Amino acid sequence: MATMREVAERAGVSIATVSFLLNDTKPVTAATRARIEQAMAELGYRRNVVARALASRRTHIIAMAYPALEHRFGMSTAEFFTSAAEAARKEDYHLVLWPVGNDGVELRELLGQGLVDGVVLMEVQLDDPRVDVLQQAGTPFALIGRTDELDGLPHVDIDFDTTVDDAIRHVYELGHRELALISGDLSDPRFHSYGPWVRTEAAYRRATAAYGLPVVVVPCLDTTQAGKVAAEQLVTDHPETTAILVLNEYAALGAVAGLKRAGYDVPGDLSVLSLLMVPETAAMTDPELTMMRTPGPELGQLGTEALLRELEGADPLPPQLVPAKLHPGATVTAPRMRHPVDVLKTGPENGS
């Protein structure tokens, strides 16, 4: 294995200069950095991460805290991870996944070991114990999500109001007047303050009120089977429904299957629009789901950037909300029967 001395000799610099670069203790010019990195590549030199951490008192490792026991891992979630890892890599950091619970107990234990420089929190609760743990530990962090109290907390999140409003406008302009939302089950103690579920349902209620539409909400857990049951319950209790919005990606897959099992044609009898999904998942149904495409790549990058700016002492990243965008599929169409007057309506009943 090549040594630091050999790298210095190949690059034509001192050992101290190589050390400055590797340990990030003093700046070096771009030309010198390029010569050292070329020498490292030619010699097959590998950085000693442990030695670097001891010298700089930083590991250059950040963690993404994801409560895997409470939240299922889906393709949309994977996009957050991969984009966050890429953003970290570009700044010479490594990102690791910490599947710790929402209660903050495991997180506190891990922070005490000094393994990471900072944490990106995912699946944020409105009142999230992990935030208190991080603040008490003095560990830099950023949120992909929002708590109720955001004063001074670096965060990015989905713009749920815009996402839901755009989804409802889409089906409304096609002529649908009897909509329903298959949402998260807020009665489940694990999710009663889960930000995405709370904000999506609140946005749906505001938007339907603006359009003068009835409110129909069916609670559902984040499983395919739960989606099947919820869809079948919905058409039994509300047979007038012509369009269904589904929050969770697994539930959306189940909803289409449940409707077909009950003898409904999608979208001929009922339109289905998934509120947060990625194309790979949407393609699993036949026909392919129409969806609001989750902004996972953008938010994973932005959340990581917010943390790295804090670690590097740069100007903070302003809080940002990113909406999901409509991605046409084949599960939404105009209802079979529309009132002639309704066809002329293209906006909220209040004219906004």
Side-chain angles (χ1 to χ4, degrees):
M1 180 182 293
T3 66
M4 191 183 298
R5 179 181 297 278
E6 291 171 329
V7 170
E9 291 174 351
R10 177 68 66 93
V13 299
S14 68
I15 296 178
T17 301
V18 176
S19 177
F20 295 155
L21 173 64
L22 295 179
N23 297 320
D24 197 23
T25 51
K26 285 187 179 181
V28 299
T29 66
T32 300
R33 173 184 289 271
R35 292 205 311 274
I36 294 173
E37 290 181 344
Q38 181 178 351
M40 290 169 56
E42 292 173 352
L43 294 170
Y45 180 84
R46 296 290 180 266
R47 304 185 187 199
N48 188 321
V49 176
V50 174
R52 179 183 182 182
L54 291 173
S56 64
R57 296 187 180 180
R58 293 175 60 180
T59 65
H60 274 244
I61 299 172
I62 59 175
M64 179 168 276
Y66 185 85
L69 294 180
E70 292 89 348
H71 296 267
R72 292 168 60 86
F73 187 100
M75 288 187 180
S76 58
T77 309
E79 287 195 335
F80 285 89
F81 296 155
T82 54
S83 63
E86 178 64 15
R89 186 193 63 79
K90 288 179 179 178
E91 299 301 325
D92 199 25
Y93 280 79
H94 299 284
L95 182 137
V96 296
L97 175 62
W98 276 1
V100 295
N102 269 327
D103 58 10
V105 174
E106 293 174 279
L107 184 61
R108 180 180 288 107
E109 294 174 353
L110 287 169
L111 290 174
Q113 299 177 37
L115 300 173
V116 299
D117 293 338
V119 176
V120 178
L121 285 186
M122 282 194 67
E123 306 296 5
V124 178
Q125 306 281 328
L126 298 181
D127 181 14
D128 201 310
R130 297 174 299 170
V131 171
D132 292 335
V133 169
L134 287 161
Q135 288 176 327
Q136 291 167 10
T139 301
F141 67 95
L143 309 177
I144 299 180
R146 286 170 284 165
T147 59
D148 270 339
E149 299 294 333
L150 288 170
D151 187 27
L153 299 183
H155 66 277
V156 299
D157 199 4
I158 296 172
D159 185 338
F160 293 99
D161 286 328
T162 300
T163 297
V164 173
D165 190 64
D166 287 350
I168 290 179
R169 180 182 298 111
H170 178 63
V171 297
Y172 187 94
E173 290 178 348
L174 287 173
H176 292 277
R177 298 297 180 267
E178 299 292 341
L179 315 182
L181 171 67
I182 295 180
S183 187
D185 187 355
L186 296 176
S187 67
D188 188 317
R190 299 172 300 166
F191 300 107
H192 73 276
S193 67
Y194 178 42
W197 289 9
V198 173
R199 289 191 168 91
T200 296
E201 184 171 328
Y204 166 79
R205 292 180 182 277
R206 284 192 293 268
T208 50
Y211 281 87
L213 302 176
V215 175
V216 177
V217 178
V218 177
C220 177
L221 292 178
D222 56 345
T223 68
T224 304
Q225 181 59 32
K228 291 179 182 179
V229 173
E232 292 171 353
Q233 174 191 339
L234 173 60
V235 294
T236 298
D237 296 344
H238 303 277
E240 71 281 2
T241 301
T242 62
I244 303 173
L245 310 180
V246 189
L247 176 54
N248 178 266
E249 61 183 336
Y250 288 109
L253 297 176
V256 173
L259 291 172
K260 288 186 173 183
R261 184 170 66 182
Y264 290 88
D265 176 67
V266 178
D269 298 321
L270 281 159
S271 289
V272 178
L273 194 157
S274 178
L275 288 177
L276 296 173
M277 188 173 273
V278 296
E280 291 81 1
T281 307
M284 290 181 177
T285 63
D286 184 18
E288 182 174 335
L289 268 161
T290 301
M291 65 175 182
M292 303 300 292
R293 203 249 191 267
T294 301
E298 297 95 323
L299 292 179
Q301 176 181 340
L302 289 170
T304 304
E305 182 182 344
L307 173 61
L308 295 180
R309 285 196 184 191
E310 184 177 356
L311 291 172
E312 297 297 325
D315 293 336
L317 184 73
Q320 298 189 50
L321 301 181
V322 182
K325 300 293 186 180
L326 181 67
H327 185 96
T331 57
V332 173
T333 190
R336 283 181 173 170
M337 296 183 63
R338 291 184 290 171
H339 192 284
V341 174
D342 285 345
V343 176
L344 302 177
K345 299 178 181 180
T346 58
E349 302 293 345
N350 61 9
S352 61

